[in-house]
Amino acid sequence: VIVACGGTPVRPSVAAGEAAADPLVVEGLRHLRAEGVPYDLERARSLFGEACGQGSRRGCAMLADALLRGPMDGQDFDRALSLSEAACEAGEPLGCTHAAWIMSGEVFTDEAREEQCATHAAVCTGGELIACVRQGQCIDISEDAEGEAAREAAELYRRACNGGEGEGCNDLG
């Protein structure tokens, strides 16, 4: 059990089959990952927004993710945080990892960062590849990010990259 987003318990396995059950999220992911269709961030945002509007926790978490992609002037951190927190509180682990990542840029205490990194680690264990990237980033920014720690971060990036998460490939270097 992960405890995040205001102390709400979240089970990492919640998201395992949810995306497959939500055709709007699946279609949005195809546009975000250029799987059989051209890459189209705006179309992905639209599809995730429609899914979110229909009550899909996963759709809201993916909309938050899409709002954090692209040029800086197209990113909406406040809305992404709000969507992520709502999805997390509703039991969507991906919402928790997005919320923790967004807040990590705003909260610089060691205790807060440790809690956020623990959330990423737990959600990564549940199979969310972007959480694996965030966990690798947590390791990279730690003071002892050399040797075994650097190899552990690289393995997390490789796992995400091999699973189709482009940010993991970018962080591999």
Side-chain angles (χ1 to χ4, degrees), residues 15 19 22 26 34 57 67 96 109 118 120-121 129 134 156 158 171:
D22 191 336
V26 171
R57 300 175 301 188
L67 290 169
C96 300
T109 66
H120 298 320
L129 297 177
R134 301 290 178 248
L156 288 162
R158 190 171 295 104
D171 286 357

Side-chain angles (χ1 to χ4, degrees), residues 106-153:
E106 299 173 6
V107 179
F108 293 104
T109 66
D110 289 340
E111 184 177 303
R113 188 165 307 280
E114 282 180 29
E115 183 178 324
Q116 293 156 0
C117 291
T119 297
H120 298 320
V123 177
C124 174
T125 299
E128 292 295 345
L129 297 177
I130 191 65
C132 298
V133 173
R134 301 290 178 248
Q135 178 60 17
Q137 291 167 342
C138 283
I139 293 167
D140 273 346
I141 63 170
S142 69
E143 292 179 21
D144 59 344
E146 297 178 13
E148 185 60 35
R151 284 188 290 279
E152 182 182 350

Side-chain angles (χ1 to χ4, degrees), residues 42-63:
E42 290 308 313
R43 180 71 178 135
R45 286 177 177 167
S46 175
L47 289 161
F48 297 144
E50 190 176 341
C52 182
Q54 292 178 12
S56 168
R57 300 175 301 188
R58 185 67 166 196
C60 294
M62 289 309 304
L63 177 57

